[in-house]
Amino acid sequence: MRVDVGAGAGMAVMRRGRVAGVTAAVVAMVTAQALAPGAARAATGSGPKVETTVAATGLESLTPATPVTPVTRKPEVNRFLTMVNKARADVGVPPLVWDDAVAAHARSWARVRVADCRIVHSNSRYGENLAKGSDPDYSMSDAARLWIDEKPDYDRPSNSCENDRECLHYTQVVWRGSTRVGAAKARCANGWTYVAANFDPPGNWVGRRPY
């Protein structure tokens, strides 16, 4: 199975590697002013937070090319929350709560991307992690696991991603200031499964530690 993931919004920095035996193309999205993981400084220094501004068009413009039936079910939501909140508990951060409004944005964006299945961000006011997998059974918890597996690549003393590796998906998952989350998935036209997760308030502020 192949997977792609992305976090934040802005210009892309890509690397390829092996993640738990799965070929992965990892895409970190950061603003042009922010420090990219390639600089090995994910959230240090001064400048604006790693977040996009609200687009001129609202959610009413986020319509799919064809109608898509949501494939997210409550047990999958519970598994996703359990995985995310365990990662947060491991570093002493309070759990996230599921929010239907945040999930509605994730669902709308996943539907928009079913035509091309590209890892492109929604440019909303939320923090955002994205992933897609070629397995028809690829789940939200599979995506969360991929983001959380970046934990070894985050060095808290220096508040940086180590050795030019990607860690911004992980830091968003465990960002202390984020309190709400919503996620969704959709089947793309090419058969891949697309996962979007949004966090409110967003994390990855430059110059701040996630926890």
Side-chain angles (χ1 to χ4, degrees):
M1 178 182 70
R2 294 177 55 206
V3 295
D4 287 345
V5 299
M11 78 183 165
V13 178
M14 179 174 285
R15 71 178 174 87
R16 293 185 181 273
R18 300 291 294 178
V19 180
V22 177
T23 302
V26 181
V27 182
M29 302 294 185
V30 295
T31 59
Q33 299 90 343
L35 294 169
R41 297 175 62 197
T44 59
S46 60
K49 71 185 179 72
V50 182
E51 179 196 10
T52 59
T53 57
V54 178
T57 54
L59 282 180
E60 64 275 6
S61 68
L62 303 183
T63 55
T66 56
V68 179
T69 302
V71 293
T72 305
R73 298 291 182 264
K74 187 172 181 179
E76 185 170 3
V77 168
N78 292 339
R79 288 191 294 270
F80 173 83
L81 275 178
T82 297
M83 181 169 293
V84 165
N85 285 332
K86 181 182 184 305
R88 292 174 67 88
D90 287 345
V91 293
V93 176
L96 295 173
V97 297
W98 185 265
D99 187 275
D100 288 337
V102 179
H105 175 81
R107 184 166 55 252
S108 295
W109 188 243
R111 289 175 173 180
V112 169
R113 297 261 61 99
V114 297
D116 59 17
C117 218
R118 292 177 58 207
I119 299 294
V120 176
H121 286 272
S122 63
N123 295 333
S124 75
R125 68 183 183 85
Y126 299 119
E128 185 169 79
N129 282 358
L130 301 174
K132 64 180 181 180
S134 59
D135 188 336
D137 295 324
Y138 193 70
S139 68
M140 297 193 311
S141 55
D142 288 331
R145 183 179 299 108
L146 194 64
W147 302 328
I148 294 165
D149 281 349
E150 294 175 358
K151 180 177 182 178
D153 297 325
Y154 173 66
D155 179 61
R156 190 171 186 275
S158 64
N159 194 31
S160 67
C161 298
E162 291 190 325
N163 302 318
D164 294 344
R165 297 179 183 272
E166 173 57 52
C167 69
L168 294 179
H169 311 96
Y170 169 71
T171 55
Q172 173 58 87
V173 168
V174 299
W175 196 266
R176 182 181 295 275
S178 297
T179 59
R180 304 186 301 152
V181 68
K185 70 177 187 178
R187 186 67 48 76
C188 296
N190 63 3
W192 286 52
T193 301
Y194 195 97
V195 177
N198 289 110
F199 302 81
D200 188 50
N204 288 341
W205 288 75
V206 174
R208 299 185 187 179
R209 284 180 165 79
Y211 55 87

